Amino acid sequence: MESASDVAARLGRERMTIDRLETSRLILRRPTVADIETIHAIHSDPRTLEHNPGDALASREEAIERFRRWDAHWDAENIGYFSVDLRDDDGTIGFCGVKLVTFQGQRVLNLFYRFDPRWWGQGYAGEAAGALLSFVERELSHLPLIAKVRPENVASHHIVARLGMVEQPALAEVGEDGYEQVYTLRWPERDGSL
């Protein structure tokens, strides 16, 4: 399956890159080495990992490795996880983005977001994901988008539903951290059913 950069080349366009998105309250930007401490802080906080404990980081070295993987994905695919900053503040409040993965035998974009608990309940995750979705709809609409959500993660169920994603019970699976419901956009019909 083609990467975003392969599609851009095939279509005769310049190498497609986006490393910054903005909303009225947020700036989404490609992470830098300066974000390693925030990657560690957010991914070592038990509250942020309640539904995905497999993502826990135990050390700064693991945060460095996670940053390297995120950065390599950006280099290879021209898209990835963004650092999310408040427009009127210096600090990063979380991360939101997509990663190209193979799911059910096809190349898809997997939606991800994780925020510092101090900023929960203010609509930032939905706002960041909405900005990202607008970009994906414009530039990567040839790829299905999925979001895997644990059943007890009520906030994430609300976010993906507000984004217009549709739950696909037939795609649910057991992942690293247990049973995951799967929401999609542009999921191809197979044998007359979703």
Side-chain angles (χ1 to χ4, degrees):
M1 192 57 80
E2 293 178 297
S3 71
S5 57
D6 292 337
V7 170
R10 182 175 51 78
L11 295 175
R13 291 191 279 169
E14 300 254 340
R15 183 176 164 109
M16 179 180 53
T17 59
I18 181 74
D19 59 4
R20 185 180 176 98
L21 301 170
E22 296 186 22
T23 72
S24 61
R25 301 187 298 169
L26 303 173
I27 297 171
L28 287 73
R29 60 176 173 75
R30 182 176 174 168
T32 67
V33 293
D35 292 306
I36 289 172
E37 296 307 322
T38 306
I39 291 169
H40 182 250
I42 290 175
H43 290 86
S44 63
D45 185 325
R47 295 171 294 175
T48 68
L49 301 162
E50 177 182 355
H51 303 293
N52 299 97
D55 287 346
L57 297 178
S59 68
R60 185 174 188 280
E61 290 71 29
E62 289 178 352
I64 292 168
E65 181 54 34
R66 179 141 320 155
F67 167 77
R68 286 182 180 145
R69 285 196 314 268
W70 289 3
D71 199 49
H73 188 274
W74 270 99
D75 287 344
E77 306 293 353
N78 299 308
I79 191 73
Y81 296 158
F82 291 87
S83 294
V84 180
D85 300 331
L86 290 175
R87 277 188 172 278
D88 59 355
D89 188 81
D90 294 349
T92 298
I93 64 169
F95 303 96
C96 178
V98 290
K99 181 170 133 181
L100 280 157
V101 298
T102 300
F103 177 74
Q104 299 284 323
Q106 67 179 29
R107 198 83 159 138
V108 302
L109 297 167
N110 186 54
L111 177 64
F112 165 86
Y113 45 84
R114 184 161 292 137
F115 284 76
D116 183 318
R118 293 176 294 168
W119 303 103
W120 289 359
Q122 298 177 54
Y124 293 126
E127 186 173 331
L132 178 67
L133 183 61
S134 292
F135 171 77
V136 165
E137 288 296 299
R138 258 188 341 269
E139 301 293 336
L140 300 169
S141 62
H142 64 285
L143 292 169
L145 178 72
I146 67 167
K148 297 178 181 182
V149 182
R150 298 287 306 277
E152 53 281 341
N153 191 344
V154 175
S156 281
H157 286 283
H158 289 304
I159 289 170
V160 296
R162 278 195 306 266
L163 293 172
M165 299 184 78
V166 177
E167 184 182 359
Q168 301 287 348
L171 301 179
E173 63 182 14
V174 176
E176 179 182 357
D177 293 316
Y179 181 77
E180 298 171 327
Q181 293 168 269
V182 177
Y183 289 78
T184 68
L185 275 180
R186 297 181 308 280
W187 190 255
E189 291 187 30
R190 294 182 182 171
D191 301 323
S193 62
L194 291 180

